[in-house]
Amino acid sequence: MKCLCLFVLFLCLRCDGAGSKPRRGRGSMWWGIAKAGEPNNLSPLSPGVLYMDPAVHATLRRKQRRLARENPGVLAAVAKGANMAVAECQHQFKYRRWNCSTRNFLRGKNLFGKIVDRGCRETAFIYAITSAGVTHAVSRACAEGSIESCTCDYSHVDRAPHRSRAAAAANVRVWKWGGCSDNIGFGFKFSREFVDTGERGKTLREKMNLHNNEAGRMHVQTEMRQECKCHGMSGSCTVKTCWMRLPSFRSVGDALKDRFDGASRVMMSNTDLEAPVQRNDAAPHRVPRRDRYRFQLRPHNPDHKSPGAKDLVYLESSPGFCEKNPRLGIPGTHGRTCNDTSIGVDGCDLMCCGRGYRTETMFVVERCNCTFHWCCEVKCKLCRTEKVVHTCL
Amino acid sequence: MAGTVLENLSSRKLAVLISFLLACQAICFLIGGLVAPVPANVQTILGTVCKDTSKDKNDTTKWFYVRGNGKCESIDLANVQLGHDLSEADIVFAFQMPTPREGEFFDYSRWQQNLIGVLLMDIRYHSAMEVKSHSIVTIDARLAYRNKEDPEDAWKLYKQSVETRNLDCDIDVKTEGYLYNCTTVPLFELGSLYHDYYLLNIRLPVDTKEMNTHIGHIQDIWLTVINQNGGFTQVWLSLKTAFFPCIVGLLIWFWNRIHLLQRKPVLLEEMLFALGIALCVLDMPIEYLTLHFDLPFMLLLSDVRQGFFYASLFSFWLVFSGEHMLIQEVRAKSTLRKYWRHLSAVLLGCVSLFIFDMCERGIQLRNPFYSIWVTELGTNLALSFIILAGISTGMYFMFLSYMVWQVFLNISQKRQSMPAMSSVRRLHYEGIIYRFNFLMLATLICAAMTVIGFILGQVAEGQWKWDDNIELEYTSAFFTGVYGMWNIYIIALLVLYAPSHKKWPVNENTSDTQNLSEEIEFNKMPAERSEISSLTSFITKPAVD
C-alpha cells in the first residue's frame, strides 16, 4: 500500500515537473494561497469534511494537496502564514525601491511576479519569509488546537504510521508517559514537507531555494525565547520547567531583513554533496529525502566565508528596480512616495533614481490622539494636518 | 554497648556493603536517566477569542470551548469592529486542555498528578497607549472540568475567581506593530489532576474606571500548562514503593537491636530512629491514592513531608556532631534540651517555611488561582518568611560548622594523647573518631553530589548526550539519583550506626568493662584539657577497672 502511494506520488512529481519552468524552483506556486479567498473558507475545523476552493486547488502541488487533506485545518494556517509573510515583506521593504508588491493573478503566475524567476536577493528573501511564515502559522495553529493532527513526537518512541488503531493507542501511551513535544517541532517539519515540495535540490537554483527556505525556518527557531517556571518544594526552583515561546513574526522579519542586507552570493561547490552541513535538525529520526539538505554552497567570492545555515544566499545580482520592466514584472518606482530629507534608500535621490520628484502640499484628515480601551474601544480625535508629500516622477 | 556495627565490621564486609549501596545508587540514577521521561510536560495553548452574546455574564453554567459540540463563535481580535457591538465583557479567552495531537483528543491521566498554569500576554505597542512597566491586570478566571463519559458540552465549574496580577512589560523598539516583552503571569496551581479535560475561560473585566485600562492592546493570550509526566510519576512511585518496605524493615530491626541492650537508648540512637521515621513518612507512596480519590492537598502534603525530612536530617547532623564532642563537661545522659539553641534555628526555619507554604499552597486548596505574591502585604509577608527561613538556615550552618570544627579540634587533640592511652580507651576513641570521620565523609560526598548535580542541571538545560544512541534524561536522573542517594545514606546510617553485638576486643570478660565502655560511649570522661590531666584521669580509670 505504502509502496503504491509512493509510486503514485513519484509519478505525479514526474508529470508536474514536465510543465513548469526550468529555471526557478518549482515549489513556489502555493504562495497564491494568500490571495485565494478568505482563509475561513479554506477548511472547516471539523475533520473529514474538506472543501477546497478551485483557486486554491490550482496553486497546490499534489503532495501539498495530500498534506492538506491529511491535516485538516492546515490550509487555513498556511494561508494565514502566507498572508503574514506578504505583509511582513511589504513592511520590511516599505522604503526600498523594490517594495515586495504582489499581484492578484493566480493561475500559472507567481504571486510576487516574475522577479522570482531570477535568483536574486529579493527572491531569497521571499522564499525565506514565506517558509518562516508557514512554520510560524502552523506552530501557532497547533497551539490553538485548530490543527488536530500535530504530532506528539516523543523522542524515545519511533513514530508509527498514524491513523491505525494500534498507533492511536501507542500515541495515548506516549502522551501519558512522557507528554508531547513542542508545537514548533511540527511547524518546522510541516514547513519542510509543504514548502520544500518540488525543490529536489538538483539544480543550483533549487539548492538556493532550499537553503533560503531552511534559513527562514531557522530564524523562527532561533528567535524563540525561553520562559521558565519554578515549581519545586514550596514553589522553589528545585524543579524548574522551561519552554520556548513563539517569537512575534515581526522579530523574525527583522532578523531576516538583516540577513537580506548581508546575503551572500554563491555558486555550487566543485564536488557535489560535500560533508553535511551542521544543522539543528528538528526531525533527527526521519530519514527519507533528508540528504537533499546536505549540501554546501560556495561563496562567489572565494575570499568570503561560506554561508551559514541562517544566511540568505542568492545567485545573481538584482535587476534595477527603477524603471518598469515588464519582462521581469518590475513596476518601477514611478509614483512612489519618498522622503526628501533622508539620504538612505527611502530618500528621494535614491528612490526616484535621479529622475526627480514632485512635491505637493495637501491637507489630510486623520485620526489622532487616540486612546485605547480594552478591548474594543478606540477613541480618536480627527485632526486636519498639513502634509508635504514627495512623489517620484 | 560495645560500639556500633561500623567499627566492628571487617573491612571486607564494609567494602561489600558499600559497593552494594553504591550499586543501588547507580541503579537509581540510571532508572531516572534511561527509563523515566522528563519530570514535567509543557503545553502551550493559544487562547481562542470567543464571543459571549449572553446577557448574564456571571452565569457559570455557560462555558466557551473550542472543540466539540456547541463550540463557541470565535472572532479575530485584529479584525474586531471597534466600538460597535462588542464590549470587553463579551470577549472570552478560552483554553481547552489538553490540546489535540495526532488527530486525537488526548485526556489527562491521573498519573499526571498536578497542573500549573502560567499566562503570557502578547501586548502590541501603540503610541497612544503605552503600557507602564508595572501595571496590574484583573482577570476573571473560571476553570471547568469534564470527564470522558460526559457529553461534549457538559462542562462543570471547578473554581472561579477574580484575581489581580502584576504585569511587567518593557519594549526595545517603540514602533507600531512590535510586541512588549512581558513577564509570565502565574495563574493557577491544581494539586490534583483528577478529571480528564479542563477548560479555562478568561475575561478581562472593566468594572471600575481604572480596572484593566492600562494594559494596552492585548493581541493574544497564551496559557502554558505544566503537568508532571505520567511516566515520571510511575518511576518515582516505584522507587518509593521499593524503598518504603526496606526502610520500615530496617527501622524495626534497628529498634529491636537497641532494645536488646540492657541500657536505655542514647540520644543519638533516638535521633537516628527519628530520622528513619521521617524518611518513612517521605517514602510512603500515598500518591497511589490520587489514582482513585481527588486529593488536592497532595502538593502541600509533599511539601510538608519534605520539610519534615529535612528538619530531622538537619537536627540529626547537629546532634551527631554534638555527641561526638570528645570533651564534655556533663556526665549525665544528654537530651535534646542541650541542643535547644541550635535546634531552634532549624525549628524557626521550618516553621516560617511552613507558614509561607500554608499561606500559598494552603489557600490554593480553596482557590487555585490564589497567589500570595500579588498584593503588597502578601509579598512582604512571604518575603519576610522566606528571609527568616534563610537566616535560620544560615545560622544553622554556622552552628553546624562551628561544632564540626570543634570536633575536629578535639580529634586532633586526642590523636596526640592517644599513644599514651590504654588499649580500651584508645580503641574507644579511635572508634569515635572513625565513626565521625566516616559520617562526615559520607555526608560531604552526598551534599556535594547534590549541589553539583543541581548546578549541572541548571547550567546544561535539558538533555545531555554522551552518545548519539544513549539519551540520558538528565533532570529525571538528577531527581531519582538524589532521592535514592539520601535514602541510601540513611539506610547506611541505620545499618552502620546500630549498636553492635560484637564484644569489645580486649578485657571483655568482666561486666565492668561493659559498664565502662557503655559509660564512656557517649558521655565522655571529665574534661581533659592537658596532657597531664588526661594522664591523671588515665590513672583513675584503671582503678575503676
Side-chain angles (χ1 to χ4, degrees):
Chain A
M1 185 64 200
K2 204 178 167 189
C3 287
L4 191 68
C5 280
L6 278 176
F7 182 61
V8 171
L9 188 72
F10 179 65
L11 278 183
C12 317
L13 284 176
R14 291 307 298 258
C15 51
D16 271 16
S20 72
K21 285 200 169 182
R23 288 205 60 194
R24 74 155 188 261
R26 300 163 312 152
S28 60
M29 286 310 293
W30 64 272
W31 295 336
I33 203 172
K35 296 277 178 245
E38 284 300 304
N40 295 341
N41 300 339
L42 286 174
S43 146
L45 279 179
S46 53
V49 194
L50 191 84
Y51 163 71
M52 212 188 269
D53 198 291
V56 176
H57 195 267
T59 62
L60 297 184
R61 301 175 63 82
R62 207 164 287 198
K63 185 184 177 192
Q64 290 170 335
R65 279 178 224 151
R66 180 174 63 81
L67 281 170
R69 214 167 34 245
E70 282 174 359
N71 303 289
V74 93
L75 266 190
V78 169
K80 202 172 170 189
N83 272 316
M84 225 159 57
V86 170
E88 188 58 36
C89 179
Q90 289 177 350
H91 168 83
Q92 296 290 347
F93 287 86
K94 200 160 43 176
Y95 301 118
R96 296 185 71 106
R97 285 179 189 166
W98 179 72
N99 63 350
C100 203
S101 52
T102 54
R103 270 145 210 79
N104 246 334
F105 34 68
L106 274 171
R107 224 186 143 71
K109 301 264 171 53
N110 203 290
L111 179 68
F112 292 96
K114 288 180 197 149
I115 182 76
V116 290
D117 290 345
R118 290 183 71 128
C120 58
R121 276 171 193 258
E122 284 74 15
T123 313
F125 186 84
I126 292 174
Y127 274 88
I129 195 90
T130 46
S131 148
V134 169
T135 313
H136 193 275
V138 169
S139 309
R140 203 183 135 92
C142 278
E144 201 175 13
S146 53
I147 302 175
E148 286 162 8
S149 51
C150 302
T151 47
C152 174
D153 217 11
Y154 187 57
S155 48
H156 286 248
V157 184
D158 288 319
R159 250 197 92 197
H162 54 299
R163 296 276 188 268
S164 76
R165 183 167 271 184
N171 285 334
V172 171
R173 235 183 358 262
V174 164
W175 151 248
K176 300 214 161 147
W177 178 263
C180 288
S181 61
D182 208 6
N183 304 313
I184 182 76
F186 181 75
F188 198 96
K189 259 195 311 194
F190 182 83
S191 168
R192 267 194 171 179
E193 299 229 350
F194 188 90
V195 176
D196 292 357
T197 327
E199 312 281 0
R200 287 165 308 171
K202 290 260 166 63
T203 66
L204 187 51
R205 177 59 204 273
E206 283 182 336
K207 281 198 166 61
M208 166 189 155
N209 293 347
L210 276 180
H211 184 100
N212 291 327
N213 284 345
E214 193 74 357
R217 291 186 282 264
M218 291 292 281
H219 276 277
V220 178
Q221 241 182 1
T222 50
E223 285 295 311
M224 292 196 297
R225 291 283 164 266
Q226 196 184 42
E227 299 282 348
C228 289
K229 165 84 182 158
C230 291
H231 53 105
M233 180 187 166
S234 307
S236 64
C237 287
T238 49
V239 187
K240 195 162 115 185
T241 302
C242 294
W243 66 95
M244 300 309 272
R245 170 186 190 177
L246 204 62
S248 74
F249 199 62
R250 176 56 44 85
S251 61
V252 177
D254 283 350
L256 278 174
K257 178 68 193 320
D258 280 351
R259 299 284 170 165
F260 170 87
D261 294 332
S264 32
R265 187 168 175 181
V266 292
M267 49 198 271
M268 194 42 125
S269 309
N270 293 341
T271 49
D272 218 27
L273 290 176
E274 273 182 351
V277 201
Q278 195 62 44
R279 274 174 204 285
N280 191 358
D281 205 322
H285 294 288
R286 286 188 62 90
V287 186
R289 300 190 44 165
R290 195 184 148 202
D291 32 274
R292 71 174 160 167
Y293 296 103
R294 296 168 68 160
F295 56 84
Q296 177 66 57
L297 294 163
R298 209 154 54 89
H300 190 257
N301 182 343
D303 297 339
H304 290 176
K305 224 168 51 172
S306 25
K310 280 158 66 184
D311 288 319
L312 297 188
V313 297
Y314 64 99
L315 301 175
E316 48 195 321
S317 54
S318 304
F321 293 102
C322 288
E323 299 301 327
K324 194 173 165 72
N325 184 345
R327 202 167 54 81
L328 288 171
I330 296 169
T333 61
H334 302 275
R336 294 276 302 277
T337 53
C338 58
N339 181 354
D340 66 335
T341 53
S342 165
I343 53 161
V345 276
D346 61 331
C348 289
D349 285 344
L350 286 175
M351 179 69 89
C352 307
C353 311
R355 292 186 306 259
Y357 54 94
R358 191 169 57 232
T359 304
E360 282 170 304
T361 307
M362 49 170 110
F363 289 98
V364 281
V365 177
E366 55 184 20
R367 305 203 298 176
C368 61
N369 294 336
C370 295
T371 51
F372 182 84
H373 288 279
W374 167 253
C375 74
C376 328
E377 198 181 355
V378 181
K379 281 183 185 153
C380 292
K381 285 178 186 156
L382 288 180
C383 304
R384 199 177 136 87
T385 47
E386 193 188 50
K387 263 200 171 169
V388 183
V389 180
H390 309 284
T391 321
C392 290
L393 289 173
Chain B
M1 186 184 87
T4 60
V5 172
L6 175 64
E7 303 141 60
N8 294 322
L9 216 55
S10 70
S11 44
R12 225 187 92 230
K13 276 186 190 161
L14 188 66
V16 169
L17 184 70
I18 287 180
S19 39
F20 171 70
L21 292 179
L22 282 182
C24 289
Q25 169 65 56
I27 289 171
C28 284
F29 184 81
L30 288 180
I31 283 179
L34 299 178
V35 180
V38 269
N41 173 48
V42 181
Q43 267 199 327
T44 313
I45 305 170
L46 177 62
T48 306
V49 185
C50 290
K51 193 170 154 187
D52 179 7
T53 46
S54 61
K55 284 271 179 297
D56 181 16
K57 307 295 183 196
N58 286 327
D59 181 11
T60 51
T61 55
K62 170 98 180 121
W63 292 98
F64 296 89
Y65 45 95
V66 191
R67 293 177 288 279
N69 285 334
K71 65 179 181 216
C72 74
E73 181 192 342
S74 71
I75 48 175
D76 191 353
L77 267 191
N79 307 331
V80 160
Q81 287 290 315
L82 295 167
H84 286 299
D85 50 344
L86 273 177
S87 78
E88 70 289 332
D90 299 334
I91 289 199
V92 181
F93 290 90
F95 305 88
Q96 197 170 342
M97 301 161 250
T99 49
R101 285 297 160 96
E102 308 277 3
E104 289 168 59
F105 298 115
F106 290 156
D107 59 309
Y108 283 121
S109 142
R110 286 178 193 170
W111 285 103
Q112 288 167 332
Q113 296 285 310
N114 47 42
L115 195 68
I116 296 166
V118 176
L119 279 189
L120 248 173
M121 303 198 183
D122 279 352
I123 298 177
R124 218 182 145 104
Y125 179 81
H126 278 291
S127 53
M129 181 71 209
E130 289 197 17
V131 182
K132 292 188 204 110
S133 60
H134 295 280
S135 41
I136 288 174
V137 56
T138 308
I139 300 169
D140 175 358
R142 296 168 195 184
L143 195 65
Y145 67 90
R146 184 168 74 81
N147 285 316
K148 257 185 180 168
E149 60 276 5
D150 297 340
E152 282 181 339
D153 54 352
W155 293 95
K156 288 176 213 68
L157 177 71
Y158 189 76
K159 284 285 154 52
Q160 172 192 18
S161 179
V162 179
E163 293 289 328
T164 52
R165 290 285 187 273
N166 297 316
L167 195 63
D168 276 349
C169 295
D170 61 356
I171 190 163
D172 305 327
V173 194
K174 287 197 172 181
T175 317
E176 304 273 333
Y178 280 82
L179 298 182
Y180 283 93
N181 296 319
C182 292
T183 51
T184 53
V185 178
L187 188 66
F188 64 86
E189 272 187 43
L190 292 185
S192 72
L193 199 54
Y194 185 71
H195 303 288
D196 289 333
Y197 308 102
Y198 286 84
L199 171 71
L200 178 72
N201 277 0
I202 281 184
R203 282 164 229 254
L204 302 170
V206 189
D207 294 342
T208 62
K209 209 168 175 213
E210 278 299 291
M211 196 187 270
N212 283 341
T213 42
H214 300 294
I215 51 168
H217 179 192
I218 293 180
Q219 203 174 27
D220 289 309
I221 299 186
W222 300 79
L223 174 76
T224 304
V225 281
I226 302 169
N227 61 271
Q228 191 166 316
N229 269 328
F232 185 77
T233 316
Q234 282 174 18
V235 169
W236 192 250
L237 265 183
S238 356
L239 272 185
K240 280 190 160 185
T241 337
F243 275 124
F244 183 62
C246 297
I247 291 288
V248 170
L250 210 57
L251 269 184
I252 294 170
W253 172 83
F254 184 78
W255 196 239
N256 276 339
R257 215 160 222 216
I258 288 174
H259 280 272
L260 281 180
L261 303 168
Q262 280 109 26
R263 62 172 174 83
K264 291 217 153 197
V266 289
L267 176 63
L268 198 56
E269 285 158 351
E270 282 167 355
M271 281 310 290
L272 198 50
F273 190 71
L275 183 60
I277 300 244
L279 185 65
C280 255
V281 172
L282 184 72
D283 277 353
M284 205 182 292
I286 47 172
E287 282 86 349
Y288 282 120
L289 296 177
T290 57
L291 302 181
H292 297 281
F293 307 101
D294 188 7
L295 305 173
F297 55 80
M298 239 16 188
L299 270 182
L300 181 67
L301 189 67
S302 76
D303 281 355
V304 170
R305 290 201 292 173
Q306 276 187 58
F308 181 49
F309 173 71
Y310 288 134
S312 34
L313 187 64
F314 282 6
S315 321
F316 171 76
W317 284 340
L318 263 185
V319 172
F320 185 85
S321 40
E323 293 295 290
H324 280 76
M325 215 67 93
L326 303 185
I327 302 166
Q328 277 168 343
E329 286 80 18
V330 268
R331 301 200 59 161
K333 184 201 172 209
S334 51
T335 55
L336 268 186
R337 217 166 286 151
K338 201 175 114 195
Y339 297 98
W340 70 269
R341 263 170 306 166
H342 313 75
L343 289 183
S344 59
V346 179
L347 195 72
L348 183 68
C350 284
V351 166
S352 49
L353 269 189
F354 178 71
I355 295 175
F356 164 70
D357 220 54
M358 282 307 286
C359 290
E360 173 92 355
R361 286 192 167 158
I363 299 180
Q364 273 171 3
L365 294 183
R366 297 198 45 177
N367 175 11
F369 297 104
Y370 178 81
S371 168
I372 194 171
W373 299 100
V374 173
T375 58
E376 190 104 356
L377 179 74
T379 309
N380 290 339
L381 206 69
L383 271 183
S384 50
F385 280 129
I386 288 172
I387 289 169
L388 207 61
I391 289 173
S392 36
T393 320
M395 261 164 52
Y396 166 80
F397 276 106
M398 266 162 54
F399 277 138
L400 186 66
S401 19
Y402 175 71
M403 283 175 96
V404 170
W405 169 246
Q406 286 246 303
V407 175
F408 272 121
L409 273 187
N410 261 322
I411 285 177
S412 60
Q413 243 173 25
K414 271 282 161 327
R415 282 252 163 84
Q416 286 167 358
S417 59
M418 226 171 240
M421 291 179 189
S422 76
S423 63
V424 179
R425 281 168 60 74
R426 202 174 61 231
L427 273 174
H428 160 70
Y429 281 127
E430 272 177 355
I432 293 178
I433 292 169
Y434 177 48
R435 254 181 277 167
F436 183 77
N437 284 345
F438 186 83
L439 184 108
M440 276 301 288
L441 189 71
T443 310
L444 274 183
I445 289 176
C446 287
M449 296 278 274
T450 310
V451 172
I452 291 171
F454 183 72
I455 291 171
L456 281 185
Q458 299 284 314
V459 172
E461 233 11 282
Q463 290 189 348
W464 271 33
K465 274 190 183 172
W466 281 309
D467 192 281
D468 267 346
N469 301 320
I470 305 167
E471 271 182 29
L472 192 76
E473 206 46 72
Y474 180 75
T475 19
S476 300
F478 167 69
F479 288 129
T480 54
V482 165
Y483 178 73
M485 186 167 70
W486 289 108
N487 264 290
I488 287 167
Y489 172 83
I490 286 160
I491 287 176
L493 286 191
L494 281 174
V495 170
L496 294 177
Y497 287 78
S500 166
H501 280 182
K502 279 192 187 155
K503 295 287 178 348
W504 210 235
V506 274
N507 294 349
E508 54 182 22
N509 40 2
T510 61
S511 60
D512 278 338
T513 331
Q514 285 284 335
N515 287 340
L516 168 77
S517 60
E518 192 175 305
E519 185 184 60
I520 59 174
E521 183 64 25
F522 291 105
N523 310 310
K524 303 301 122 38
M525 327 270 158
E528 296 164 305
R529 301 253 175 250
S530 64
E531 201 63 50
I532 296 163
S533 70
S534 90
L535 270 178
T536 51
S537 64
F538 188 7
I539 294 159
T540 56
K541 278 293 166 185
V544 180
D545 269 0

